[in-house]
Amino acid sequence: MIWPLAILLGCQLSGEVASRALGLPVPGPVIGMVLLLVLMALFRPLPEKVAPTAQVILGNLSLLFVPAGVGIVSQLDKVAQYGPGLLAALLGSTLLALAAGVVTFRLVARLTGERT
């Protein structure tokens, strides 16, 4: 479990270093995931070695949201003050993201000749 964890964290660290060193507008963990994908494509046994560790991490991912929940509870006065604006921003951005997804899907389906 140590080596797969080292591979996952190494990819994330490499992505973070690349993002900051090159001044890229892409977050480091995203670059790290692309690096991990490339490594998995190059080394075929890598996905089977990393999968059990990744499943454990994903299974406990909800623990990372506890601090966010505590922060919200400790700032309830701010949430009450800015709540309507936050709700409008969340709903608006969700609807825009869904619409962009639909438009992209339809465009790709039309370009590939598939019927929707």
Side-chain angles (χ1 to χ4, degrees):
M1 184 157 175
I2 296 296
W3 283 110
L5 187 61
I7 291 169
L8 293 172
L9 291 176
C11 287
Q12 181 179 358
L13 177 64
S14 300
E16 195 67 47
V17 168
S19 175
R20 290 180 188 223
L22 300 174
L24 299 173
V26 180
V30 173
I31 296 172
M33 281 197 312
V34 171
L35 175 62
L36 182 63
L37 179 67
V38 169
L39 288 174
M40 286 183 172
L42 292 175
F43 304 106
R44 293 290 177 188
L46 187 61
E48 290 137 14
K49 292 186 188 289
V50 173
T53 303
Q55 291 298 325
V56 170
I57 292 171
L58 289 174
N60 294 300
L61 197 61
S62 62
L63 294 175
L64 299 176
F65 293 105
V66 171
V70 170
I72 288 174
V73 169
S74 69
Q75 300 290 328
L76 279 178
D77 57 329
K78 299 272 192 212
V79 173
Q81 181 182 359
Y82 298 113
L86 286 170
L87 184 63
L90 283 171
L91 288 175
S93 63
T94 300
L95 290 175
L96 286 172
L98 285 171
V102 167
V103 169
T104 303
F105 175 78
R106 301 279 313 246
L107 211 137
V108 169
R110 185 177 301 145
L111 289 174
T112 58
E114 294 183 27
R115 296 184 62 170
T116 57

